[in-house]
Amino acid sequence: QVQLVESGGGSVQAGGSLRLSCAASTYTYSRNCMGWFRQAPGKEREGVATVGQNGITSYAESVEGRFTISKDNAETRTLYLQMNSLKPEDTAMYYCAAGELWDGDCWRGPYEYNYWGQGTQVTVSP
């Protein structure tokens, strides 16, 4: 079963925090790469943060030091994105994704990921 279900989005003022969660099925959680992507209106979908099965994480420069991606255990199968010091430019629809990337380098474009959630909206006001 392929399943990714995001939650935790909402509206917050600049400087605030949110934590996104992504509940995954056994199959998607076992892919070698998982990540968070976002898409603002009129813009292309972009990578925010990724994590491999080896624990290696990667971040977009724009969120480095403010966002943290993490995975819990194989029993609860949840991917998280802790977002601190939020800025208005972080406003977007955030998507959880999973994929079996051929070389395990997870920091690749969204087209490399096969499985996607429905998205959760994050809105940051000035």
Side-chain angles (χ1 to χ4, degrees):
Q1 181 184 7
V2 176
Q3 183 177 7
L4 293 167
V5 180
E6 303 97 333
S7 60
S11 297
V12 64
Q13 288 190 324
S17 298
L18 285 172
R19 188 175 82 155
L20 306 184
S21 299
C22 173
S25 63
T26 301
Y27 179 80
T28 49
Y29 194 80
S30 67
R31 301 305 90 199
N32 67 354
C33 291
M34 295 189 75
W36 290 96
F37 295 78
R38 67 186 180 186
Q39 188 167 17
K43 295 188 176 181
E44 292 188 354
R45 191 168 298 188
E46 63 177 4
V48 176
T50 61
V51 59
Q53 282 188 343
N54 54 13
I56 293 176
T57 57
S58 298
Y59 296 91
E61 281 190 24
S62 59
V63 307
E64 185 83 53
R66 299 188 296 122
F67 291 11
T68 303
I69 188 171
S70 62
K71 294 175 68 176
D72 63 3
N73 57 64
E75 290 185 351
T76 50
R77 301 188 303 273
T78 304
L79 181 73
Y80 299 101
L81 184 68
Q82 178 66 45
M83 306 186 294
N84 298 329
S85 302
L86 282 161
K87 304 176 180 180
E89 50 265 43
D90 295 319
T91 295
M93 185 72 79
Y94 283 70
Y95 297 91
C96 172
E100 194 69 22
L101 277 64
W102 67 276
D103 62 353
D105 179 1
C106 299
W107 189 247
R108 295 188 185 277
Y111 46 85
E112 296 279 358
Y113 284 75
N114 306 101
Y115 310 107
W116 292 86
Q118 82 288 350
T120 186
Q121 178 68 36
V122 171
T123 302
V124 185
S125 57

